[in-house]
Each structure stands twice: as C-alpha cells, then as structure tokens.
Amino acid sequence: MASTYTWANALTLVASFIKNIPTATYDIRVCDLVNSYIWKAYPWRWAQASLTSASGALNLVDAIQDYTIGTTTGAGFYRLLRTRITRTDVSPVVVREKDIVSWLPPNLESRGAIDSIQVICYEPVSSGLRLDRAASVTGSATYRIDGEYQFAPVKITATSSVIVFPDEYFEVAVEGLKWKYYQLGDDKRESSQRTVFFGLLQQMIADEDYGDGPPPRFPGDGSYGVTRAGNPGLLGWY
C-alpha cells in the first residue's frame, strides 16, 4: 500500500484530544520522536538496504579484516541485519550466511575464506564491517560480502513530510502523537495511551513479520533459527 499521509494529517486528528497544549511549539520535534520510536522497533521492509548498494561490491582482499561500507541510505547506518559471503568466480555462485555479533577484536594473524570465516560485526569507529579473521584470497578465487542493513531515519523537519510507512499503519502514528502530547502535558491519560500506542506498534510488527524464512542472524537464546548440519556457523543457527 502507498504512503500518502503526512504528519500534518496526523496532527489534525490529534488536536481535538490535546486542547490544553500549544502543539505548534512542539509539533516537529514530537513527530520526529514518534517516527524514531516506530523506526527503531523493527527492521521494517521500507527501512532496509543492500550492503552492495551502499558500497558497490565489497570484495574480500587477502590479509584484510575490515571493510568500509561507504555511502548509506537514509540518515546513515543503524544496524546490520544479515550478512553472507559469496564466491563469485564459480557458476552457480556459492553463498554462505554468516552470524552477526556486536564486536570482534583485531585478528590479522588468522586467515579464512568462505567457510572458515564464521561471524561479522559492524565496527562503528571505522563505519565498516569486521570479519572474525583476515580474509585468505588465493589463486583465481573471488569473494564478496553481501547482506542487508537497516538505515537510520531521516530527521523530520516539517509536518508536511510524508509518513514513510504504508497508510494502513497511519493509526500507529496518530496514537503515538497522542501519547507523547499526553506525556508532555502531564495528562492522566498518558499511561493508558502508552499502552494503546505500544499495543498497536506490536501489532504492526506482527503484521510485517512476513514469511517463514530465516530471521536476522543475531546470536541469542536459541530462538533465532534452527541448527543445521552443513556450514553451521559459529553459533549453529540456520
């Protein structure tokens, strides 16, 4: 479904509920806050981009562990969602999904290729990706890092901005604005409105949790994916 509503449309509906607050003073900031709450709640399909589109081909280079992502979509990189290493000199190409961790140390003394490299992380200092060991690229073999990331939301600077998520979720924006204004106005309805907003947000997440494919490969308590016998990765998740 298309995205046609603006934040001004949502504010018009909210106005009758918050008559005691001079909203014009806060409208843009409150819209930006609610947009950020929604954006960060889930890796929405409209908030994802390919690592390849951000960087061109991220080709593995012998003895190199860190790789720069480059120009990103939206307001920049927010979080890594999925990563894989692809061998591109053979047909069909060989693809190995890799687990994502929050941090990896420098490790240039170890070398690995498509199967022995097990995990990848985002390295915020260098704004790039770090493998768990330096790449080993020999002979005519060629490899690249593929995957997807969630980009950060563009800051709302005008209420005329179009709400980026589809129109069927317009109600989530409306209820989110009501909650923030009740909060700012010290309104006794704030607590119950918070429940309404986050309930709708959870329903929005459930609606967008489409398909039965593997989820983002974050290590955790075992709820992400199932083990596999071949190329299990460091954590053994599919």
Side-chain angles (χ1 to χ4, degrees), residues 168-185:
E168 63 259 41
Y169 302 125
F170 178 61
E171 182 185 12
V172 183
V174 171
E175 299 302 332
L177 291 174
K178 285 164 65 176
W179 166 56
K180 289 308 293 183
Y181 273 120
Y182 288 164
Q183 188 179 61
L184 288 171

Side-chain angles (χ1 to χ4, degrees), residues 17-18 20-21 178-196:
F17 294 92
I18 50 173
N20 61 324
I21 301 176
K178 285 164 65 176
W179 166 56
K180 289 308 293 183
Y181 273 120
Y182 288 164
Q183 188 179 61
L184 288 171
D186 198 24
D187 192 300
K188 63 183 180 180
R189 295 173 291 178
E190 184 273 332
S191 180
S192 60
Q193 183 59 35
R194 184 182 190 278
T195 301
V196 171

Side-chain angles (χ1 to χ4, degrees), residues 41-43 79 81 99-100 209 213-228 232 235-238:
Y42 188 75
R79 58 183 163 193
L81 298 177
D99 293 303
I100 295 169
D209 189 18
R217 294 166 56 82
F218 302 130
D221 60 3
S223 60
Y224 287 105
V226 295
T227 59
R228 62 183 176 189
L235 303 164
W237 309 126
Y238 182 79

Side-chain angles (χ1 to χ4, degrees), residues 60-179:
L60 294 191
V61 178
D62 189 54
I64 300 299
Q65 184 185 10
D66 294 344
Y67 296 84
T68 302
I69 291 178
T71 302
T72 51
T73 303
F77 187 94
Y78 178 54
R79 58 183 163 193
L80 195 57
L81 298 177
R82 292 169 291 273
T83 58
R84 62 194 70 92
I85 292 178
T86 304
R87 182 171 179 178
T88 58
D89 64 299
V90 294
S91 181
V93 297
V94 178
V95 180
R96 296 287 186 266
E97 292 287 327
K98 302 301 172 182
D99 293 303
I100 295 169
V101 295
S102 59
W103 180 80
L104 288 167
N107 183 17
L108 296 176
E109 66 271 21
S110 300
R111 303 287 178 88
I114 190 167
D115 288 312
S116 51
I117 294 171
Q118 298 295 324
V119 294
I120 298 176
C121 78
Y122 176 69
E123 175 52 60
V125 174
S126 62
S127 298
L129 303 178
R130 172 170 287 178
L131 312 178
D132 59 1
R133 66 199 67 197
S136 175
V137 181
T138 59
S140 60
T142 56
Y143 308 93
R144 70 167 183 255
I145 303 172
D146 292 318
E148 295 78 39
Y149 68 97
Q150 183 174 3
F151 52 90
V154 175
K155 186 177 181 63
I156 304 298
T157 58
T159 60
S160 58
S161 298
V162 174
I163 298 172
V164 296
F165 40 88
D167 286 350
E168 63 259 41
Y169 302 125
F170 178 61
E171 182 185 12
V172 183
V174 171
E175 299 302 332
L177 291 174
K178 285 164 65 176
W179 166 56

